[in-house]
Amino acid sequence: MLDTPAALRVVITGAARGIGADLARGLAAAGARVVCLDKREDRGREIAESIGAAARFLQCDVSDPASVAAAFAGAAEWLGGLDALVASAGLDKPGHAAEDIPPEIWDLVLAVNARGTFLTNQAAFRLMKGQGGAIVNLGSFGGIRGMPDRAAYAAAKGAVFAWTRSVAQAWGPHDVTVNAIAPVMRTEAADRFIATLSEAERNAYEARVREITPMGGRLGDPTQDLLPLVQLLIGPGGRYITGQAFAVDGGRTMLGS
């Protein structure tokens, strides 16, 4: 549980679905007040309304500077300031060999994942500069190990890790921590992907997950496996942790090994 639940004022991007939605629900249940940002107004508003009075939805295109500025101004007004940002918004466009990625796909994937992290982090820092705060950016194991079949996404997430390390150094003197997480979670997107597989493909996929995941041979659960780390990093227990990349993937990626 959060040490000071009622005090934490949190913005979560990409909160209309998947990990972002699960984290919004979990942090609000622990007592935080949460502003859910997403480009999809229908799903985002639905998530915020399902949480109740502790949450509010604001539409935001994280790749657009004007949209980000307006959303963070609205969030800070409703929250009365800002203590933490969880930058969860992401986009992948698989299906292209590295040598065949169209420039427009490259630009789109980098715009949401890398530019979106950059813009929202800047907006959060401006609100935190005089008081301190915490930023958590969601990366991917692809940004560490590479993904030959999803090279644009891997490149974008690699940028997220490099950016995180850089601004952790730049913003530490202002008492703002910045960390990144590489999660491997069971999400709606993962379920949709699994649903497209034939029985033989699904069996092979599940066997591979068991083979490469030491902890239980399974995908993680966002609420049980990811939320506690996010709570640590944005709460008092994370005040001396910054510039780090955490793999929350059951042991697939052992950083520093």
Side-chain angles (χ1 to χ4, degrees), residues 13-199:
T13 70
R17 73 194 85 182
I19 289 174
D22 287 332
L23 292 178
R25 294 188 191 98
L27 291 173
R33 296 173 64 220
V34 178
V35 173
C36 303
L37 303 186
D38 204 283
K39 192 173 181 178
R40 286 191 57 177
E41 184 170 6
D42 53 347
R43 286 288 302 273
R45 197 169 298 282
E46 179 184 336
I47 294 297
E49 289 175 355
S50 72
I51 293 171
R56 182 178 183 183
F57 170 76
L58 293 174
Q59 190 172 30
C60 180
D61 177 352
V62 297
S63 69
D64 183 304
S67 181
V68 170
F72 274 78
E77 180 178 3
W78 185 72
L79 292 168
L82 182 64
D83 298 309
L85 164 67
V86 180
S88 175
L91 176 72
D92 190 11
K93 290 289 183 180
H96 301 280
E99 64 271 21
D100 296 325
I101 298 172
E104 60 271 19
I105 294 296
W106 174 272
D107 291 343
L108 176 61
V109 173
L110 269 288
V112 175
N113 295 285
R115 180 181 170 92
T117 299
F118 153 70
L119 290 174
T120 58
N121 280 203
Q122 283 187 327
F125 173 70
R126 293 184 184 111
L127 294 168
M128 297 173 181
K129 186 175 180 180
Q131 63 169 41
I135 296 172
V136 176
N137 296 320
L138 290 197
S140 165
F141 74 90
I144 300 167
R145 295 166 49 189
M147 303 175 76
D149 56 339
R150 296 159 64 189
Y153 182 75
K157 292 301 189 178
V160 168
F161 289 118
W163 165 263
T164 295
R165 291 189 292 269
S166 298
V167 292
Q169 296 175 57
W171 298 344
H174 300 281
D175 201 26
V176 174
T177 64
V178 192
N179 292 287
I181 301 176
V184 176
M185 298 288 122
R186 186 72 180 253
T187 63
E188 297 172 32
D191 288 339
R192 286 195 300 270
F193 167 72
I194 293 170
T196 67
L197 303 177
S198 66
E199 183 177 357

